Amino acid sequence: MDLTLLYRGPLSSCDYDCPYCPFAKRRDTPELLRADRAALERFADWAEEQTGDQLSVLFTPWGEGLVRSWYRRTLVRLSRLPHIRRVAIQTNLSCRTDWLADADLDTLALWCTYHPGQTPYERFLATCRDLAARGVRFSVGVVGLPDHLEHAARLRAALPERVYLWINAAEGHTYTDAEAARWTALDPLFPYSRHPHRSAGLPCRTGESVVSVDGDGTVRRCHFVRAELGSLYDGSFRAALGPRACPLAVCDCHIGYVHLETLPLYDVFAGGVLERIPAGWPGHSDADLGGGGIPLPLIGVNRGQDHGRTGRQGTGDGTNEE
């Protein structure tokens, strides 16, 4: 079986204070952190044993995972397993990066978000440049709030051209055509994130080749549909896998709508779905490290309607690493 798993454990603490995030500066109790660590280790043990499958894993914690040692160890561990195609995590990039030296960088990737006002710009940029120098696959994103535009433009100009900069439409924000054009100049795929996607009754890969897993091992088709498919750990979810239509009216988060079969995003992000790197981007292939212009073929892609969530990974300075 070729299966993608979106894992979200009980961790919900973050080291940043983003005003658009309900988990800003939230602290987990020691008991919850121990539970999160145990749940993650159980999931990693399960993944290691599935040698008959080909697995891809994206960690989507409510809080910031990489300031916790058990997330860093798990990413390294899974990256070195031959049946893991890709392992990635959403992160604010506030952690140190030396741990990446132990990972298989052909398998590991990072989905990074820059939150202006939460971390010094030069610090974030220096960490991005460190990742690039290490040969890490990563994308960088910014929430498309009006006062973030200047910061995003500055970051796009400073990042290596091989690094894709994505823009998430801000939750509850409506964009005029002129505003959308400014964001699209930075991210040619922003039109996919401008409005929610109508999804009711439409085919989606979630529940068939993509599933969501929580810390208890409960399997659902995605993070946004609460119906349970079974348990990861007793294998009962496998019998429930199959093609199914979306039961929700709209899908407004990239980690959800990217799997809609009515959108061309598996072609747009071919080979980089989990880390959000377009197939046509100059940095998509390790053979092309010199950069290049915006991938023009992507601009003409049929632009669906969606509304990307702000992302809940937060940001920080890494002072609470464990």
Side-chain angles (χ1 to χ4, degrees), residues 51-126:
T51 55
D53 298 327
Q54 290 290 316
L55 303 180
S56 300
V57 181
L58 173 63
F59 295 104
T60 63
W62 285 126
E64 173 53 42
L66 289 184
V67 296
R68 306 296 178 183
S69 60
W70 51 94
Y71 280 88
R72 300 193 297 270
R73 287 197 301 270
T74 296
L75 283 163
V76 170
R77 175 185 176 185
L78 295 184
S79 78
R80 303 181 88 61
L81 299 176
H83 62 285
I84 303 292
R85 292 183 182 271
R86 179 78 73 224
V87 59
I89 189 170
Q90 294 180 318
T91 176
N92 61 29
L93 212 55
S94 62
C95 71
R96 64 179 188 265
T97 59
D98 57 341
W99 60 277
L100 290 161
D102 296 325
D104 184 341
L105 298 183
D106 288 333
T107 303
L108 183 143
L110 302 177
W111 167 330
C112 311
T113 305
Y114 172 53
H115 298 277
Q118 300 298 311
T119 186
Y121 167 79
E122 293 297 342
R123 178 186 297 171
F124 185 87
L125 179 61

Side-chain angles (χ1 to χ4, degrees), residues 139-187:
S139 66
V140 175
V142 177
V143 177
L145 291 166
D147 59 357
H148 286 182
L149 180 61
E150 181 179 348
H151 297 284
R154 182 186 184 195
L155 186 61
R156 174 64 279 170
L159 285 172
E161 287 185 286
R162 63 183 290 253
V163 177
Y164 171 56
L165 179 77
W166 49 264
I167 304 297
N168 266 0
E171 186 168 2
H173 187 78
T174 300
Y175 296 84
T176 66
D177 288 345
E179 289 171 334
R182 287 191 284 272
W183 290 112
T184 303
L186 298 176
D187 173 11

Side-chain angles (χ1 to χ4, degrees), residues 13 18 39 86 93 101 114 116 121 123 136 164 167 175 201-203 244 252 266 281 290 299 307 318:
S13 55
C18 301
R86 179 78 73 224
L93 212 55
Y114 172 53
Y121 167 79
R123 178 186 297 171
V136 178
Y164 171 56
I167 304 297
Y175 296 84
L202 298 179
R244 45 177 40 91
D252 62 358
Y266 264 50
W281 204 259
I299 297 176
H307 172 91

